[in-house]
Each structure stands twice: as C-alpha cells, then as structure tokens.
Amino acid sequence: MDRRPLLASRDLAEFSGSRMFDIRWYLDGRDGYQSYLAGHLPGASFIDLDATATSVAQPTAGRHPLPSPEVFVQAIAMLGIEPGRQVILMDDARGSIAARLWWMLDALGIEAYVLQGGVTSVESTKLCTSPCPPTPVAPWRPPIDTWPRSRIVTTDAIESDPSRYLLLDARATTRYLGIEEPIDRIGGHIPGARSLPWPTMLDLLETEGWRSDSRIQAILNDDRQLVAYCGSGVTACALVLAFRAIGTEVSLYPASYSGWSSDATHPICTVDCESECVT
C-alpha cells in the first residue's frame, strides 16, 4: 500500500471530482453538526460519526465498536460513497476524527484521503453555512464480510499472546498514566503499552521530526506487530493514518481502553512504559 492518505489543502483543486465529507465530533458532547453549520468547505456533506461509523456501545467491545461492513456500506451508500469514487474527509481536530472513516473506507478498498490540518487549514476558501445534502447511490455489496484480521487485533489476541504486539496508546499522557480519567472505569493503560498521543505523532509527521525522534525510530525498528488504541477506537486511527503516511502499517485495537478496562479482571498499569522502547 503505497498511497499516502493525507491530502494537503493546496492539493484540493486536483480532487475536484471527489466527494467531500465533514466529520466533526467531540468527546465533550458538543454538537458536531452545529459546528459544521457554523462554517464548512463548500460542497462538503456532514457525516454523523456515531450513526455511520460506530455500532451500539458494549462494555467489552468499547464505546465505539465497529459496525459490520454490510451495515457500514448501507450507511455510506446513502451518503453517495461507492467504489471507484475518491473521498476526501475532514474535521476540525486535525484529522483525528476523520481518520476513523478513512480507516473503514480504506479497508473496503475505497480511495480515501484525510485533509491534513482539518477544515481550518484551508484559509483562502470562504466557508459555507448552508448544509450540503449528499447524493445517495444504489446500495452495493461490500467486498468483505468482516473487518480483515490483518488490520485489527482483538482483546482475546492481546490476552493470549501479549508479547506479539507493541501497543501504542494514542490518548493524552495524563490518561495513559492514570492521572486523570474522565470517562472510563479506571485510569491507566494496558500493561506494556507505549504512550504516543496522536497530536504528538501528527506534529512529528508535519515537521518530518519523526525521522530523528528516538521514540518513533525505536517503534519502527521493533519486530512486533504495531497496534494502536485510544479510549474508544476513534483517535487511534490517527496513529494508523500517520504511520501509513510514512510507509508503516499499524493495526487497530477497536475495543481500545474502554473495552479493556471494562473487564475488572484485566490488569491496568500506571507506570510509564515508554522508556522500554527507546534505545
């Protein structure tokens, strides 16, 4: 997979025939659609993350379980997304929310890109305040029945062979260390996981700093399977996206910390494990 998934705002004109979607969503409960109406790129339709890219929350599956490919395709067909049509995704969180949709579309073989820097990166365009209704297409059959095992890692897999994986925790370091935990049952992280907040990785990506960063180089040189997780499996996709942009594949742990920590028998760590992966 050599297609780079991040699209710079200066290159938007080259994708004039693409379908554009705005996927704003907030952990604090703010209304993403209202933010969209306050100003979005002309031609961009709104996508409701919860209604389109997640299933019903279940304790061990996490707050944002993946819907089946079939259910997901039914939803995106109503939005006009179909094979053979490029898709551009954006949000106002540097692409960290849009990355979830990118991951799902990419798994279906749809050519999708995330606008680097988000909506605010397009400074010269006058934003639109009227909704842009999508153009539905005929329902189509997904090429897969389940999300590929090559792209996801389950809780059972982590429990049965933890030494096989290098887990990357995309949340804020304060949540990783258990200093604060505003949502989940208990603070901390999965034992052995390394802290790599998604904003840090995007900063390193934008400045090319990942090439000299000891943490990233240690991760890239690790022989284990790289796996990203966050609180609920959404912003972890930003790590998958960023590593894809530098040519490295990272799997997703969809249940993430919300799924792991919901089981009181699972061990929780509050010690910084990052030093173990830095040489």
Side-chain angles (χ1 to χ4, degrees):
M1 300 179 182
D2 56 3
R3 189 174 70 238
R4 296 297 182 258
L6 282 164
L7 179 66
S9 58
R10 64 178 178 273
D11 298 325
L12 270 174
E14 300 177 19
F15 292 79
S16 57
S18 302
R19 295 280 171 88
M20 295 198 301
F21 296 95
D22 191 310
I23 311 138
R24 302 193 209 190
W25 178 90
Y26 306 103
L27 186 63
D28 60 13
R30 282 177 292 157
D31 191 325
Y33 185 62
Q34 291 304 313
S35 293
Y36 164 81
L37 291 179
H40 59 86
L41 261 63
S45 300
F46 180 75
I47 290 184
D48 185 319
L49 178 80
D50 290 314
T52 304
T54 71
S55 186
V56 178
Q58 303 172 43
T60 57
R63 286 191 305 278
H64 289 118
L66 291 167
S68 70
E70 181 180 5
V71 169
F72 178 59
V73 164
Q74 290 175 357
I76 62 175
M78 294 299 296
L79 296 169
I81 298 176
E82 60 186 338
R85 189 73 175 266
Q86 292 173 329
V87 174
I88 297 175
L89 307 163
M90 64 197 75
D91 55 35
D92 60 356
R94 301 181 65 190
S96 63
I97 306 303
R100 168 70 171 236
L101 270 292
W102 164 81
W103 185 93
M104 298 172 75
L105 294 175
D106 186 69
L108 294 177
I110 293 177
E111 186 176 348
Y113 302 88
V114 171
L115 182 62
Q116 190 167 20
V119 178
T120 56
S121 68
V122 190
E123 298 176 354
S124 60
T125 301
K126 184 176 180 180
L127 298 181
C128 179
T129 56
S130 299
C132 299
T135 304
V137 296
W140 49 280
R141 182 176 178 79
I144 53 177
D145 295 323
T146 59
W147 299 107
R149 289 298 183 187
S150 60
R151 292 174 180 253
I152 64 172
V153 171
T154 64
T155 299
D156 288 344
I158 294 173
E159 287 180 309
S160 63
D161 191 8
S163 63
R164 176 180 174 181
Y165 308 105
L166 176 55
L167 300 175
L168 306 175
D169 191 317
R171 300 172 301 159
T173 302
T174 51
R175 292 184 69 190
Y176 167 85
L177 293 175
I179 296 172
E180 62 175 3
E181 181 46 64
I183 304 174
D184 293 314
R185 183 183 67 84
I186 185 173
H189 59 271
I190 301 172
R194 310 301 188 247
S195 177
L196 184 57
W198 64 263
T200 298
M201 185 60 196
L202 290 183
D203 288 342
L204 291 170
L205 183 65
E206 291 173 0
T207 62
E208 294 287 319
W210 64 272
R211 296 181 182 278
S212 57
D213 189 276
S214 60
R215 297 166 299 172
I216 305 304
Q217 292 307 310
I219 289 169
L220 293 175
N221 291 326
D222 200 292
D223 292 333
R224 288 170 290 178
Q225 182 177 343
L226 302 180
V227 180
Y229 78 87
C230 56
S232 67
V234 175
T235 57
C237 294
L239 287 188
V240 181
L241 178 82
F243 275 95
R244 170 73 70 82
I246 62 176
T248 297
E249 292 298 316
V250 175
S251 300
L252 176 68
Y253 174 33
S256 282
Y257 187 72
S258 59
W260 179 270
S261 63
S262 69
D263 186 336
T265 68
H266 283 157
I268 302 295
C269 182
T270 56
V271 176
D272 188 354
C273 301
E274 184 174 356
S275 60
E276 296 181 26
C277 73
V278 178
T279 57

